[in-house]
Amino acid sequence: MVVKRLKQYIDEHDPGASMIPFSGALETRLLDDPDNAKTFLEENKTQSNLSKIIVTGFKALGLQYFFTVGADEVRAWTIQKYTKAPQAAGKIHTDMERGFIKAEVYKYNEFSGTQI
């Protein structure tokens, strides 16, 4: 099988590196027919790997989200991990970095009131 040989090659040349199989045809089919995607995945005993690619990529690049909440929208901003609050505010607008005063920080579970 090609995937097994590829994984062996990766393990030999870059031990510990991640390998995430991806099928463009499968992902296209799921996007083209979202109403039947779950049934298709169950019947074929497979899964989409897009979420895994995103999470693994974020970790590899050292990225994380922070959220802003307003009366009419919630927005996610992407920043490097360990970015200080004033520099994170600067992602929204450079004036916010210069005039930064404070941030209110909540864990998601505390804010939403639900457990993940």
Side-chain angles (χ1 to χ4, degrees):
M1 178 180 243
V2 174
V3 175
K4 285 184 181 181
R5 287 196 319 247
L6 181 57
K7 178 64 176 148
Q8 288 173 340
Y9 179 86
I10 291 170
D11 289 344
E12 290 171 12
H13 293 87
D14 193 2
S18 297
M19 181 183 112
I20 305 170
F22 175 81
S23 168
L26 170 66
E27 301 302 337
T28 300
R29 180 174 182 147
L30 298 176
L31 289 171
D32 287 345
D33 191 9
D35 296 333
N36 296 313
K38 184 177 179 182
T39 303
F40 177 82
L41 292 172
E42 289 170 357
E43 288 174 354
N44 291 282
K45 296 182 174 96
T46 191
Q47 63 184 9
S48 169
N49 274 339
L50 285 180
S51 294
K52 188 173 184 178
I53 290 169
I54 292 167
V55 170
T56 303
F58 256 63
K59 286 180 182 177
L61 295 171
L63 299 175
Q64 67 183 23
Y65 291 115
F66 79 94
F67 297 89
T68 55
V69 180
D72 58 345
E73 79 172 353
V74 175
R75 181 150 181 202
W77 302 84
T78 304
I79 56 173
Q80 289 292 132
K81 278 191 174 184
Y82 311 113
T83 298
K84 303 274 188 224
Q87 288 73 40
K91 288 285 189 178
I92 299 169
H93 197 286
T94 55
D95 289 347
M96 291 181 75
E97 183 174 355
R98 287 193 300 266
F100 184 82
I101 297 171
K102 72 174 185 171
E104 293 183 42
V105 179
Y106 298 92
K107 292 182 179 179
Y108 176 80
N109 291 346
E110 294 170 357
F111 184 71
S112 71
T114 58
Q115 295 294 317
I116 296 178

